[in-house]
């Protein structure tokens, strides 16, 4: 049983979303920007929400700094 738990933990660590993941850039971010979904609706599994937040921060930060 302990080997199985260790295996699952290793798999979870291997499968992490990044800012460049297709599901982040091509699905969740456009849906949020279009107002069809909210950040609260993004699943937290495999750090998906953190990756989406990072992309949104990159998009919003340059726009706000250009306005000043």
């Amino acid at each position: 049983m302990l080997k199985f738990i260790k295996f699952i933990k290793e798999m979870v660590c291997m499968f992490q979303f990044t800012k460049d993941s297709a599901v982040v850039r091509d699905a969740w971010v456009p849906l949020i920007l279009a107002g069809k979904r909210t950040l609260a609706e993004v699943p937290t599994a495999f750090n998906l929400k953190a990756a989406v937040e990072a992309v949104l921060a990159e998009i919003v930060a340059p726009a706000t700094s250009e306005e000043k």
Side-chain angles (χ1 to χ4, degrees), residues 22-65:
V23 73
V24 174
R25 287 232 180 239
D26 300 334
W28 279 103
V29 170
L31 287 170
I32 292 170
L33 293 175
K36 295 182 179 183
R37 294 285 184 255
T38 66
L39 188 57
E41 295 176 290
V42 179
T44 56
F46 304 109
N47 82 313
L48 176 59
K49 191 171 194 172
V52 171
E53 288 172 336
V55 172
L56 291 173
E58 286 179 1
I59 293 170
V60 173
T64 56
S65 64

